[in-house]
Amino acid sequence: MNFRIQNDYLTAIIKDEGAELCELLDQDQVQYIWTADKAYWGRHTPILFPLVGKVTGNSYTVEDETFNLGQHGFARDYTFEVAHQTETSITFILHSNEETRSLYPFNFTLKVTYSLVENTLAIGYEVINEDDKEMAFKIGAHPGFRCPLFEDEKMEDYTLTFEKEEEVRFMPLTPAGYFNRTESTMVTRPLTISPELFAKDALVFADFTSKSVTLSSKNHNKAVEVGFENFPFLGIWSPASPSPFVCIEPWYGHADYEDEAPNFMTKTDLNRLMPHESFTCTHTITIK
C-alpha cells in the first residue's frame, strides 16, 4: 500500500513494503526518485538493515551458530506497519519475528520516519535493541535519483559536488563486492556522472567532513542535495550500463573486508546496542 505526505513544496509517496520512498515530486511535478525499472535496477530507495553490503560468503556466525543473509539485509523485503501519520510526516515500524530471527538472531524494532519541512524530506531511523543481550548491526540508505531528469539530457550533463573540497579515504571494492586493504585517498572535487565512473562498482568514501553532496545539471537549476551529517560512510553507485539514475547512499557500516572472520560480533564498523538501548540517525533530501 502507498502512503502520501505533502506540503506546499513537495509530495512524497512511500510504500509499506520496505518502508520505501517511491516518489518525490516538486511543485512542477518533476519526479526525482528513480522509477525502479527492472531493466536497470528494480528498486527506488531501499533501506539497508541489518547489513550494508555483504558479509563474506553471505553467511556469518553468532555464538557459533551460522546464519545466511544476503547483500544489504532483509528490511527492504518486509512490510512495515504504519505507526503514525500526519499530512507532512509518517512513521513505519518493523518488529523482529520468527523469520527475521532465523536470518539475524536478535530481537529489535526498526522505526523509519519521513518528514517534510519546506523543500526538504528528512528520513529518520531508530533501531531499538529489544533483546537481553548486546546487539550489533549496520544500517544505511540507498536512494536512487533520476539522472537525467529530462529527456533532452544525458547522464554526463550531471555533476556531483561535495559540500567541501577535501582529502577523504577511498575504499575500493573487489569484483566480488567486498573491500580490500589497498585503500587510498582522493580529493572530493566535482565528479561528472558517467558509466566510466562506476566501471569498478560503487565509489565508497570515509573520513570526510562534508555534510552533503549535490547532484546538479549544467542545463537547468533543478538539483538534489543529499545531507548526511554524522554518517561515517558514503556510497555513490550506478550500474555501468549506462543506467539513467545514480544512487547517493549514506551508511553506518559497510560490506565486509574480504579477509574478515565469520564471527559477526567482530565485524568492522558495527553499531552496537546494549539491551533496551536505541540508535538514531537522519539523512535528508533537499530539492533545490
Side-chain angles (χ1 to χ4, degrees), residues 261-281:
N263 183 352
F264 187 72
M265 302 304 286
T266 66
K267 299 292 187 185
T268 307
D269 295 309
L270 287 170
N271 308 288
R272 299 175 183 273
L273 291 173
M274 297 306 292
H276 312 300
E277 286 185 340
S278 63
F279 165 96
T280 61
C281 62

Side-chain angles (χ1 to χ4, degrees), residues 66-258:
T66 298
F67 298 86
N68 298 309
L69 185 56
Q71 185 176 29
H72 297 324
F74 53 70
R76 60 187 183 174
D77 298 319
Y78 279 84
T79 299
F80 285 60
E81 302 171 12
V82 175
H84 179 71
Q85 183 177 10
T86 69
E87 186 175 359
T88 59
S89 70
I90 187 168
T91 297
F92 295 88
I93 294 183
L94 177 67
H95 297 289
S96 54
N97 55 50
E98 185 175 354
E99 185 173 6
T100 67
R101 286 189 290 271
S102 72
L103 304 169
Y104 173 70
F106 300 97
N107 293 310
F108 67 86
T109 296
L110 172 60
K111 297 182 180 180
V112 183
T113 299
Y114 294 87
S115 303
L116 288 171
V117 179
E118 296 185 342
N119 61 327
T120 295
L121 175 66
I123 304 101
Y125 307 90
E126 182 179 7
V127 181
I128 304 170
N129 181 359
E130 307 283 9
D131 222 311
D132 57 3
K133 60 187 176 184
E134 183 185 32
M135 169 181 159
F137 65 94
K138 302 180 181 184
I139 189 166
H142 199 318
F145 299 99
R146 293 176 60 228
C147 180
L149 283 175
F150 302 109
E151 291 184 0
D152 59 351
E153 298 183 294
K154 58 185 183 296
M155 172 183 271
E156 289 83 356
D157 294 334
Y158 284 73
T159 301
L160 274 172
T161 305
F162 284 77
E163 178 194 23
K164 300 177 183 178
E165 187 172 297
E166 58 182 328
E167 187 172 87
V168 301
R169 180 157 56 105
F170 178 72
M171 302 169 62
L173 282 160
T174 69
Y178 306 110
F179 291 104
N180 59 39
R181 304 289 181 175
T182 61
E183 297 177 357
S184 60
T185 61
M186 66 175 290
V187 176
T188 54
R189 297 186 178 92
L191 298 170
T192 299
I193 304 299
S194 69
E196 292 73 28
L197 189 63
F198 306 104
K200 296 183 178 180
D201 209 332
L203 309 179
V204 180
F205 304 99
D207 298 339
F208 45 79
T209 63
S210 288
K211 298 177 182 178
S212 65
V213 66
T214 299
L215 177 66
S216 60
S217 171
K218 65 182 182 181
N219 300 318
H220 52 77
N221 61 0
K222 291 188 179 294
V224 176
E225 177 190 276
V226 177
F228 42 80
E229 184 173 4
N230 298 323
F231 279 77
F233 302 98
L234 181 72
I236 299 171
W237 172 78
S238 181
S241 309
S243 301
F245 70 93
V246 62
C247 294
I248 304 171
E249 310 174 37
W251 299 337
Y252 269 88
H254 53 73
D256 272 9
Y257 287 96
E258 57 186 347

Side-chain angles (χ1 to χ4, degrees), residues 34-47:
W34 169 239
T35 61
D37 182 346
K38 292 181 179 179
Y40 299 97
W41 182 58
R43 298 186 186 268
H44 304 278
T45 61
I47 295 166

